[in-house]
Amino acid sequence: MNPVPPLAKVGAKATAKASEVVAYVNARLLDPASGLDCRGALVTEGPRIAELGPEVLADGTPEGLSVVDCEGHCLAPGLVDMRVHLREPGEEHKETIQTASWAAAAGGVTTLVALPNTEPVIDDVAGVEFVARRARDVKLVKVFTYGSVTRGAEGKELTELGLLSEYGAVAFTDGLTAVADANVMRRALSYARTFDLVIAQQPQEPALAQGVMNEGQLATRLGLAGSPAAAEVIMVERDLRLVELTGGRYHAANISTQAAIARIAEAKARGLRVTCDTAPHYFTLNENAVGDYRTFAKVSPPLRSESDRRAVAEAVADGTIDSIASDHSPHDQDSKRLPFHLADFGIVGLESLLPLSLELVHKGEMALLDLLACLTFRPAEICGLTAGRLAQGCAADLVLFDLERPWRLDPDAFRSKSKNSPFDDHPVQGRVLRTIVDGRTIYQADA
Amino acid sequence: MSARPEPLLKTGFPHRHLLGTEGLSAAEITFLLDRADSYVEVNRQADKKSAVLRGRTVINLFFESSTRTRTSFELAGKRLGADVINMSVAWSSIKKGETLIDTAMTLNAMHPDVLVVRHPDSGASKLLSEKVTCAVINAGDGSHEHPTQALLDALTIRRRRGSLAGLTVAICGDVLHSRVARSNIHLLNTMGARVRVIAPPTLLPAEVERLGVESFFDMRRGLEGCDIVMMLRLQTERMQGSFVPSIREYFRFFGLDRDKLTAAKPDALIMHPGPMNRGVEIDSEVADDIDRSVIREQVEMGVAVRMACLETLSRDWHGVGQGGNGGGAQ
């Protein structure tokens, strides 16, 4: 089995007794849903938040209470990551639900939503139940799954959206591939209305998006096939028309271009039920990261131009982009140490999600609470989950992090089974100290 | 063309053809239902035959396979004493358009009194009616209309409930492809019933609300307080991931079973135009419930309704002008 890296204790406390009461004192409480940002304490009782606020335990803590001194650090809702490739079933040499859960815990992620592009594709009730059962066995973070929109994610026949959602699929997507056939997409959006479900799509016009990096000067110099930015906005525009036609709910994933952001902003202004997300690499890196044929920076959609990168960062800051997801895409060395056009697409992201996102705050581009909204209750709402809130009675899913601590990302120390990150030695600020799920600490960083 | 012709005979039905229920008035529908009602008792007697249509010729011209509708028209014609000819045309072996008109002209030269037409293309009966000098009854054209089905449904309801006015009727299932649904929507609205359609959005036609119905995606909510539950047949080829993902998912959310039926009124009647897909759109337990299901009664009313229609439309038109193209439906 994959050994736990010695650097931190994972799963230190296996279980919390049902009625165990823990007081987190001396914390900076942050709840983006309500706008709460204050010094205070939070008390969990069993799996729930019992109370929180500046006055809680202000007169000292009673005897017999487990106390965690937060030393003034940030205590926020655990992160909700709405795009994670678990690779199980089918590619367990790249990642498993166990190792992904460790990585999530270390990254402060308490709820993750798995993409259905496994082998086999999660397109039936048995697949949804498999993920749920494995997650129960692992018993670390909360694992939900998408169902695929079409059988085998082949873009032809609709899956049993109603039954899959009854069995726990939270939303639907064909994952890496967009539903190419407009009539199939129309029917998916239309049929999903029966159950008020979200159809999510990574919008890339498949015939256009066949390159391996962003189309442009750099691709020309490197002699690599490019995918134009237009491949994204063409699909976004088509999908938005279909949303208008059907009245369906639509989520555009991994948005990477200025043009697509502009279209989505317009659609939102017109009142369409549209949301979108991006991943940290789209506002942290531009296409230059693949210079020198760096396959670890090969992602789909590709890293774009600097002006696109800036537009993505601005759209996160102004709220046009609703959510930041890690798009955690683990690949083993053999899938990446290849000539550029043969290497797999993808970056591991669970353990760099928070520090990379915090860069937007440290650079002064947005407020901390607004950023946390993109990482907590907003993605939860899109997926119909109640997670991501710091409020009385909510699940005690928490992350304690040091907002200021500078460090360098080190993919070799990642708990994920795969280390394919272009952020080797990347300086960041802000570090997860402790991750709590249902009141029990599942991760604690060494001091 | 626009003005309805003056009543030609002393009947309450001034139309030459019966192409649809859209545009028929409440009085005209009531006239046909009253006539049909009088035939119900006749059909229950040992001697069912009369000579009302002796010497008249009815041709059943079916471009689409059908057993029950064709048999129903054939019996209706024969019980009234007409000569009935069945013509089944294997549509796949024929070129469209021109041949339909050729067929019509050929048959017309044989001087039939009524042509009963079923065709897989919407509007085919209308086209045919423009080319012949006899009356045309639309026995189903594509996804457009099937007026005698709506009339027999109305007769079934009226005999059970006394009147159609004020009833809430839910039409459930593949409304998109259903001519039965369209004919029922028009007729029921005209007669003062409230109509709902219940289906996943993929099986509802665009702007169906403009036809005067309320649409529901949730079957239980749609059935709440309904007096009549009309189920529609779902074609197998539409269940494999195109319009709905699978049979089991369709049955789970849109199949009529005991549980969903509890949302409707306790004495709500269950109807189905047949043939039923048991376990797809309807559970056998419900379909065979003798207290609720009137599905077999619908078949019985079908013969009576078709007798009324044949009788009404095979009047002597000679000498009263040829212009009357005004079937109820356009």
Side-chain angles (χ1 to χ4, degrees):
Chain A
M1 287 306 295
N2 211 38
V4 183
L7 170 130
K9 297 183 275 279
V10 172
K13 271 189 190 170
T15 47
K17 286 176 201 83
S19 58
E20 191 177 358
V21 178
V22 184
Y24 298 86
V25 300
N26 194 19
R28 180 181 174 189
L29 301 171
L30 291 156
D31 179 36
S34 65
L36 176 81
D37 180 356
C38 68
R39 290 255 158 197
L42 180 146
V43 179
T44 66
E45 187 172 345
R48 309 243 147 236
I49 296 172
E51 53 180 339
L52 76 159
E55 285 87 33
V56 170
L57 305 180
D59 305 327
T61 50
E63 290 289 308
L65 217 62
S66 311
V67 176
V68 174
D69 183 356
C70 299
E71 297 172 340
H73 292 308
C74 299
L75 187 64
L79 309 189
V80 178
D81 186 348
M82 66 182 291
R83 284 182 70 82
V84 176
H85 290 277
L86 291 177
R87 303 291 186 222
E88 182 179 347
E91 289 182 293
E92 287 86 349
H93 60 292
K94 293 185 174 181
E95 191 80 290
T96 64
I97 293 176
Q98 175 82 67
T99 55
S101 297
W102 282 333
V109 173
T110 55
T111 296
L112 64 83
V113 186
L115 289 155
N117 312 77
T118 46
E119 185 56 50
V121 170
I122 307 297
D123 63 0
D124 62 7
V125 166
V128 173
E129 286 195 313
F130 171 83
V131 174
R133 179 168 57 75
R134 289 285 296 121
R136 273 199 306 278
D137 294 346
V138 169
K139 206 170 182 260
L140 277 171
V141 299
K142 294 174 179 171
V143 177
F144 294 89
T145 187
Y146 290 90
S148 66
V149 178
T150 62
R151 294 200 183 128
E154 286 171 353
K156 291 176 189 143
E157 297 174 344
L158 293 184
T159 57
E160 295 164 314
L161 304 192
L163 290 173
L164 288 170
S165 91
E166 281 198 332
Y167 277 83
V170 295
F172 293 84
T173 180
D174 274 358
L176 297 176
T177 49
V179 177
D181 185 317
N183 198 32
V184 174
M185 188 61 178
R186 178 199 182 161
R187 287 200 182 131
L189 285 163
S190 181
Y191 186 73
R193 281 191 71 196
T194 313
F195 314 101
D196 201 29
L197 298 170
V198 180
I199 302 294
Q201 169 124 292
Q202 180 170 314
Q204 298 291 316
E205 209 305 305
L208 281 176
Q210 292 191 356
V212 294
M213 68 170 291
N214 188 41
E215 186 173 291
Q217 191 200 124
L218 185 61
T220 299
R221 284 179 193 283
L222 293 173
L224 292 172
S227 288
E232 183 167 288
V233 71
I234 286 171
M235 193 54 105
V236 165
E237 282 176 343
R238 184 204 75 171
D239 286 346
L240 293 175
R241 298 266 173 196
L242 294 176
V243 170
E244 197 153 16
L245 184 64
T246 58
R249 284 177 68 192
Y250 176 69
H251 178 83
N254 271 343
I255 287 300
S256 67
T257 64
Q258 191 168 11
I261 289 165
R263 294 289 91 77
I264 291 166
E266 283 166 18
K268 286 181 165 192
R270 276 189 294 144
L272 298 186
R273 300 203 292 168
V274 173
T275 51
C276 66
D277 71 59
T278 192
H281 36 270
Y282 296 115
F283 56 76
T284 309
L285 302 176
N286 63 28
E287 60 190 332
N288 293 326
V290 307
D292 221 13
Y293 304 100
R294 241 187 128 205
T295 58
F296 278 17
K298 182 180 175 186
V299 276
S300 174
L303 299 172
R304 300 290 188 185
S305 68
E306 175 58 16
S307 61
D308 281 323
R309 184 201 68 76
R310 227 177 299 126
V312 172
E314 280 164 19
V316 172
D318 71 23
T320 303
I321 291 179
D322 302 89
S323 156
I324 302 171
S326 71
D327 199 39
H328 182 76
S329 308
H331 287 294
D332 55 343
Q333 299 279 328
D334 293 341
S335 309
K336 279 290 193 183
R337 299 279 186 220
L338 290 168
F340 197 89
H341 89 275
L342 293 175
D344 277 338
F345 293 95
I347 291 174
V348 285
L350 279 167
E351 290 161 85
S352 51
L353 175 63
L354 182 63
L356 289 174
S357 300
L358 283 173
E359 281 190 41
L360 295 173
V361 175
H362 291 302
K363 283 194 226 155
E365 293 185 27
M366 68 191 298
L368 179 58
L369 275 179
D370 292 340
L371 177 79
L372 289 175
C374 294
L375 293 163
T376 57
F377 81 97
R378 283 224 223 111
E381 274 181 354
I382 293 166
C383 298
L385 301 170
T386 54
R389 286 166 195 270
L390 213 62
Q392 201 172 351
C394 287
D397 298 346
L398 311 167
V399 59
L400 179 66
F401 63 94
D402 179 341
L403 178 63
E404 306 298 339
R405 185 179 322 175
W407 59 298
R408 283 174 186 277
L409 288 172
D410 177 12
D412 287 338
F414 283 172
R415 284 138 200 88
S416 170
K417 206 167 190 173
S418 295
K419 319 294 181 193
N420 52 304
S421 169
F423 294 103
D424 196 6
D425 231 21
H426 187 88
V428 288
Q429 203 179 342
R431 181 147 205 180
V432 174
L433 301 174
R434 184 191 279 260
T435 307
I436 297 134
V437 171
D438 281 340
R440 67 193 171 101
T441 295
I442 59 161
Y443 168 82
Q444 208 178 327
D446 278 356
Chain B
M1 293 296 288
S2 58
R4 187 161 287 163
E6 288 297 304
L8 295 166
L9 300 173
K10 280 181 231 157
T11 76
F13 195 81
H15 305 292
R16 174 114 199 230
H17 308 292
L18 178 63
L19 300 179
T21 58
E22 186 174 16
L24 292 184
S25 69
E28 291 156 9
I29 292 164
T30 304
F31 171 81
L32 288 176
L33 295 180
D34 289 346
R35 294 298 304 146
D37 221 350
S38 72
Y39 283 115
V40 174
E41 283 313 311
V42 175
N43 284 332
R44 287 176 181 171
Q45 293 165 9
D47 184 5
K48 305 170 183 69
K49 189 123 174 167
S50 69
V52 175
L53 295 185
R54 191 164 59 193
R56 305 296 168 89
T57 306
V58 174
I59 300 182
N60 282 334
L61 180 58
F62 277 58
F63 293 91
E64 199 179 67
S65 65
S66 159
T67 310
R68 49 180 67 213
T69 305
R70 205 208 63 217
T71 309
S72 184
F73 270 107
E74 186 177 350
L75 269 179
K78 285 181 170 167
R79 284 182 184 169
L80 292 172
D83 296 314
V84 183
I85 311 292
N86 289 321
M87 276 193 64
S88 293
V89 186
W91 184 235
S92 56
S93 65
I94 302 180
K95 281 187 190 165
K96 296 184 184 181
E98 192 186 22
T99 312
L100 175 67
I101 293 168
D102 282 350
T103 309
M105 298 308 283
T106 306
L107 292 174
N108 195 47
M110 300 177 193
H111 298 295
D113 297 278
V114 183
L115 268 181
V116 177
V117 184
R118 167 165 290 191
H119 197 283
D121 291 329
S122 303
S125 308
K126 171 88 165 70
L127 178 63
L128 218 138
S129 75
E130 288 162 359
K131 302 290 170 192
V132 297
T133 50
C134 62
V136 173
I137 296 180
N138 178 11
D141 63 326
S143 303
H144 177 226
E145 283 237 39
H146 189 1
T148 55
Q149 178 70 43
L151 286 164
L152 73 87
D153 289 341
L155 182 61
T156 309
I157 298 170
R158 204 179 74 164
R159 286 172 62 91
R160 287 278 186 151
R161 289 286 185 267
S163 163
L164 295 163
L167 296 178
T168 302
V169 182
I171 302 175
C172 316
D174 187 0
V175 180
L176 178 63
H177 301 98
S178 176
R179 53 199 175 208
V180 174
R182 284 171 180 75
S183 286
N184 264 310
I185 288 169
H186 299 312
L187 184 148
L188 290 166
N189 272 321
T190 304
M191 300 307 286
R194 296 182 40 160
V195 187
R196 299 175 180 177
V197 291
I198 305 172
T202 41
L203 291 177
L204 287 177
E207 302 190 15
V208 66
E209 294 81 5
R210 295 285 196 92
L211 270 51
V213 302
E214 256 189 294
S215 59
F216 292 85
F217 308 148
D218 182 318
M219 194 161 184
R220 273 190 196 78
R221 281 195 44 225
L223 288 180
E224 250 166 51
C226 278
D227 300 280
I228 310 289
V229 184
M230 283 186 179
M231 302 306 299
L232 298 172
R233 178 180 167 78
L234 182 63
Q235 307 276 347
T236 326
E237 62 270 22
R238 290 169 185 149
M239 294 181 249
Q240 299 304 325
S242 50
F243 294 91
V244 289
S246 68
I247 292 173
R248 65 175 178 171
E249 170 140 328
Y250 187 77
F251 184 69
R252 168 79 184 74
F253 296 103
F254 294 98
L256 186 67
D257 56 17
R258 188 64 73 202
D259 181 50
K260 297 192 197 83
L261 187 57
T262 54
K265 282 192 182 163
D267 61 347
L269 299 178
I270 299 158
M271 306 180 76
H272 194 297
M276 284 185 278
N277 291 308
R278 290 167 185 267
V280 178
E281 70 259 356
I282 192 161
D283 193 347
S284 286
E285 193 193 0
V286 176
D288 300 334
D289 182 339
I290 50 165
D291 297 324
R292 312 287 295 274
S293 168
V294 292
I295 295 171
R296 266 167 292 182
E297 211 170 304
Q298 289 173 271
V299 179
E300 185 192 355
M301 294 307 127
V303 179
V305 156
R306 283 156 187 144
M307 287 167 82
C309 293
L310 287 174
E311 181 213 10
T312 305
L313 291 176
S314 25
R315 291 161 311 204
D316 187 0
W317 290 88
H318 297 288
V320 290
Q322 294 291 326
N325 197 25
Q330 292 303 310

